[in-house]
Amino acid sequence: MLKVVTSPTAPASAGATENRPQIWAVASGKGGVGKSFIASNLGLALAQSGRRTIVVDLDLGGANLHTHLGMSRPKHSLSHFINGKRSDLKEMIESLPGTTLGIISGASDHLEVANLKHFQKLKLIRHLYKLPADYVILDLGAGTTYNTLDFFNIADQGILSVIPEPTSIENSHRFLKSAMYRKLRDVPVDTKEIVKEILGKPTEQTRSLNTLNKIIASIHQKSAKHGKILRKNINSAGLHLIVNQIREPSDFQLGYSMALIWKQYYGKKPDSLSFLNHDASIMKALCEHQMYLHEHPHSRNAIQLKHLVKSIIHQQQS
Ligand SMILES: Nc1ncnc2c1ncn2[C@@H]1O[C@H](COP(=O)(O)OP(=O)(O)OP(=O)(O)O)[C@@H](O)[C@H]1O
Ligand SMILES: [Mg+2]
């Protein structure tokens, strides 16, 4: 059943598993749809609930997560780690005054995630897993560069933000499709061969396989073993949809329609669906260097975000 986030679902409890932090990635197909707002405030909500939390700005081309937390640009940034000036990602953590939240700021130069070399990406991922935290929240750049897709795909929980505009909806489908297809490559060699066979040379028969769900079902028919591997890989992470900047009652329908499409296309509904109102005080907090969640703890959006945190933690534990 689709979990619409409306109320707390479970008491909060500790998060880190297997001696590594849980990683949540906030992504979108299109820019400017609230990723940094969501990532920073989810981080604050987790920290407020007593979890050791670090937010990481992986939008290296347009790093501004610190601004959403009311900070001026931190002294250290990912650039120092990526260009080898600092060897441990931990050294880049800055504490947010008055909170237990840590932040790793994005690049201060114009280095883009898209330009990260493969070995740099692997090193960064290794260090993300070693951060001293229960939760690490990744604020990703918009779009479908391979590096962004890979950061999304390593996360235990993927959170997709969309706003009720055709371009945002279209690009969010493109993002999720690209992320899922990339997951099909991250399987054992023999399974990968079968995927290649089906996607590589379209035939009369394979042309009708126009959804990921149908592709996996068709592979399952050929070989249940490989079908199961693919399905497991696609379902390996939690997937959450946030419809941000709701202004009209009809905007809610967008969330429900997208959930249905995900089910048809990927064979997987979002694990939760949340709605955030358009709220002018978000911009005001940004301009006044304040933290929205601290300034407006009883707003509908603050309550939704705190409920989302509880809901994800609950799902992860059940
Ligand atoms: N629910 C909302 N109501 C009103 N304004 C919002 C809301 N969510 C975000 N905003 C505003 O929209 C702008 C873009 O938000 P944000 O920077 O979080 O988006 P983004 O997806 O991270 O953008 P980018 O892709 O450029 O990194 C900001 O000015 C922010 O204050
Ligand atoms: Mg951003």
Side-chain angles (χ1 to χ4, degrees), residues 28 30-38 59 62 64 68 139-142 161 163 244-247 276-284 286 301:
S28 72
K30 182 181 176 293
V33 301
K35 291 179 298 298
S36 302
F37 165 70
I38 291 166
D59 187 354
N64 59 17
H68 283 267
D139 177 22
L140 301 182
S161 173
I163 59 172
N244 188 21
Q245 301 202 18
I246 296 269
R247 291 171 196 262
L276 298 177
N277 287 341
H278 184 274
D279 179 357
S281 30
I282 292 176
M283 181 74 92
K284 192 164 176 281
L286 201 62
N301 285 346

Side-chain angles (χ1 to χ4, degrees), residues 149-167:
L149 296 176
D150 289 345
F151 287 124
F152 186 76
N153 281 345
I154 60 139
D156 301 288
Q157 308 291 335
I159 299 166
L160 211 61
S161 173
V162 63
I163 59 172
E165 282 178 14
T167 47

Side-chain angles (χ1 to χ4, degrees), residues 24 26 34-48 53 55 65 68-69 101 137 276 282 285-286 290-297 299 301-302 304-306 309:
W24 298 5
V26 183
K35 291 179 298 298
S36 302
F37 165 70
I38 291 166
S40 53
N41 286 284
L42 284 179
L44 278 172
L46 277 161
Q48 273 179 359
T53 307
V55 287
L65 186 60
H68 283 267
L69 290 164
L101 183 68
I137 313 287
L276 298 177
I282 292 176
L286 201 62
Q290 288 167 340
M291 290 174 257
Y292 177 78
L293 208 77
H294 280 191
E295 290 303 305
H296 304 279
S299 62
N301 285 346
Q304 273 283 292
L305 288 165
K306 288 182 213 167
V309 161

